[in-house]
Amino acid sequence: MFNHVKQLRFEARPDGPDAAFARRLQDALGGRWGALTVANQYLMQGWTCRLPGKYRDLLLDMGTEELAHVEMLSTMITRLLQDAPLTANENEDNPAQCAEIYSAHLVQAGSGPLLADSNGVPWNGSYVTASGSLLADFHLNVSAEAQSRLRLARLFHMTGDPGVKQMLRYLLARDTMHQNVWLAAIEELREDGIEHMPVPEAFPDAVPDDAYARTYLSFSDGEDAAAGRWANGLTYESTPSSEGRPPVLPPADPRLYCS
C-alpha cells in the first residue's frame, strides 16, 4: 500500500523555463537507467523476494524513494516547459533553442513529461530485472545507480539554472548513498551465508574442480592482462587454442528454403 504525501521529497523548481533542457532531462526520467527503471526494478525485486525481513524492506524502501524521484523529475520537466514556444516565430531571438525542443512534449503530453528518453525512445518493462537471486540483482542495482549518477553528472554540466542544479545535486547525493547501500547489502548476503559468488553458487559444475573455471584466456597481444588482480591464482593462457570441431551444420528442412 502506498500513501501519497503532497509535498515533494525535495524541491523541483527551476529558476526559469528551458524547454531544450527539459528534453535532455527526459533521460533521467525515462531512459534505460532513469528513475522509472530503478523504481520499478527495486519494487519488483522486493515484491518477489522470498526472504521476509530486512532485505525485502530494503528493496521496497529504495523502490518507494525512487517513485518520489520520478515525481520530482516529472515536476521539473513540466516547469521547464512553461511558456515553451509553439512556433519558430514565438522564439525569434533563439531559433536554435526552438529546434532543440522535443515536439512530443507539446503535441503528445501538452507541455508535460513523457515516459521516454531524450531521443523519444519509449520506456519499457524490458529495462527492469528481477531475477529472484538477491546477489545477482544487488550487483545489477549497483550498476544501475552508477549509470544513473553518470548521466545526472553530465546533465549537471549542461545547465546553468540554479534551481535545476540544486535538484540534481540532491539526486546525485542519493545515487551515491544508494550505491553504497547495495554494496553493503552484497557483503551482508555473504556474511549471512545466503548467497555467494559465483551466482548461482549451488549449481554443480560438470567436472569437480573444473579447470575451465580457473583459467584466464588472453586474446590480446602481450601479457598485460596477467598483471590484473582478476588473473591472480588462475592459469593464464596467452595463446588459447580451439578445442571444438568445425561447426558443420546439417541441411535444413527443404520447405524452409535455406542455403
Side-chain angles (χ1 to χ4, degrees):
M1 182 178 71
F2 290 93
N3 292 319
H4 177 247
V5 178
K6 291 183 179 180
Q7 290 81 7
L8 290 174
R9 183 69 186 85
F10 189 83
E11 189 56 82
R13 185 180 298 277
D15 282 31
D18 186 343
F21 187 75
R23 175 176 183 168
R24 297 183 179 186
L25 195 57
Q26 278 290 151
D27 236 59
L29 173 64
R32 172 67 180 84
W33 303 105
L36 274 170
T37 296
V38 289
N40 282 280
Q41 181 158 297
Y42 301 162
L43 289 173
M44 287 303 299
Q45 290 173 3
W47 288 327
T48 57
C49 179
R50 266 89 172 162
L51 288 176
K54 60 184 178 183
Y55 294 111
R56 181 181 175 88
D57 282 359
L58 168 62
L59 286 160
L60 296 178
D61 285 345
M62 299 283 269
T64 303
E65 180 182 355
E66 291 293 350
L67 284 178
H69 295 176
V70 170
E71 184 179 21
M72 288 164 53
L73 287 160
S74 297
T75 301
M76 181 64 83
I77 289 170
T78 302
R79 287 171 170 170
L80 286 168
L81 288 167
Q82 183 68 34
D83 300 323
L86 302 186
T87 69
N89 293 335
E90 295 178 34
N91 200 25
E92 294 178 350
D93 295 337
N94 193 353
Q97 186 191 55
C98 195
E100 285 188 69
I101 294 174
Y102 183 32
S103 61
H105 271 155
L106 307 176
V107 178
Q108 296 179 22
S111 195
L114 294 152
L115 303 188
D117 66 13
S118 57
N119 290 317
V121 178
W123 184 87
N124 70 81
S126 68
Y127 296 160
V128 171
T129 299
S131 71
S133 166
L134 290 180
L135 189 55
D137 285 350
F138 287 1
H139 276 284
L140 177 61
N141 294 349
V142 174
S143 298
E145 293 290 348
Q147 292 290 344
S148 172
R149 193 170 191 276
L150 178 63
R151 283 152 179 75
L152 290 173
R154 290 170 175 166
L155 286 166
F156 184 86
H157 296 294
M158 295 179 184
T159 179
D161 188 298
V164 176
K165 282 183 174 290
Q166 182 185 31
M167 186 194 74
L168 291 177
R169 284 190 187 96
Y170 174 81
L171 293 176
L172 284 161
R174 294 308 297 166
D175 280 2
T176 302
M177 184 271 183
H178 290 177
Q179 287 185 51
N180 290 330
V181 164
W182 294 125
L183 290 169
I186 288 168
E187 293 303 314
E188 192 143 338
L189 280 174
R190 294 167 178 161
E191 292 170 4
D192 289 345
I194 296 173
E195 293 195 60
H196 297 274
M197 296 294 284
V199 179
E201 183 194 24
F203 183 82
D205 291 332
V207 180
D209 196 24
D210 195 343
Y212 293 122
R214 297 180 289 105
T215 302
Y216 182 92
L217 303 179
S218 174
F219 296 94
S220 302
D221 292 337
E223 296 189 5
D224 290 344
R229 179 177 177 180
W230 52 83
N232 287 355
L234 300 180
T235 301
Y236 186 90
E237 289 192 16
S238 58
T239 54
S241 58
S242 301
E243 298 182 35
R245 299 175 181 176
V248 179
L249 303 178
D253 187 312
R255 292 170 294 180
L256 299 178
Y257 305 101
C258 295
S259 56

